[in-house]
Amino acid sequence: RSPPLYSSAASDVYKRQTYTFTNGGSYPVCLVAYNSQPHCADTTCFTFVVEGNVGLIIPNVFTPNNDGYNDVFSIQVIDAELISTIEVIIYNRWGEKMYEYINNESTPELLLWDGVTSSGNKASEGTYFYVVTYATKAGETVTEKGTVSLLR
């Protein structure tokens, strides 16, 4: 159990209490009310979901040539703990689905496409299109679209 982010002293009894959350996440907040004798108390708790700034870092080129550099098209997720699901679909220029990735876990980096089609063949050099759709734990669905170049 972690220590509280904010704790009010007994001298603050009639003052308005505020706390500013600087990062997104889920925060349990409890109010403990008691009279001058602590054995007569009541507690209520609520979990606040503070939306952070989910961000995706998506490269525009990768080179699956097994040289150890940029061999995989990968997406980095900022504040990944705020995402409940993420789906990435990659299409070729004719709209054929080349690759699909679905993740139901919060991971900061998604190791995705290695340039091999779902049938096991190496995809040819060219421009491919991605559609990234993710759902936040707060219930928002976001879709981002773009292109990535595959160079061998």
Side-chain angles (χ1 to χ4, degrees), residues 86-91 96-103 111-113 116-118 131:
I86 187 164
E87 176 184 68
V88 180
I89 302 174
I90 299 173
Y91 299 95
E96 297 170 325
K97 188 186 298 184
M98 302 298 289
Y99 185 79
E100 182 174 24
Y101 176 88
I102 299 173
N103 187 359
L111 296 178
L112 294 171
W113 191 38
V116 176
T117 66
S118 53
V131 178

Side-chain angles (χ1 to χ4, degrees), residues 29-106:
V29 177
C30 295
L31 171 67
V32 179
Y34 59 91
N35 61 16
S36 61
Q37 297 182 16
H39 66 271
C40 183
D42 194 11
T43 302
T44 184
C45 296
F46 183 80
T47 299
F48 287 93
V49 177
V50 178
E51 288 196 34
N53 295 321
V54 173
L56 302 179
I57 300 173
I58 305 174
N60 60 358
V61 66
F62 76 111
T63 57
N65 56 9
N66 295 319
D67 67 352
Y69 300 100
N70 300 317
D71 287 329
V72 178
F73 173 68
S74 64
I75 297 175
Q76 291 181 333
V77 183
I78 299 168
D79 277 344
E81 67 277 359
L82 299 177
I83 293 178
S84 58
T85 61
I86 187 164
E87 176 184 68
V88 180
I89 302 174
I90 299 173
Y91 299 95
N92 65 13
R93 62 182 173 181
W94 296 283
E96 297 170 325
K97 188 186 298 184
M98 302 298 289
Y99 185 79
E100 182 174 24
Y101 176 88
I102 299 173
N103 187 359
N104 295 320
E105 298 177 19
S106 299

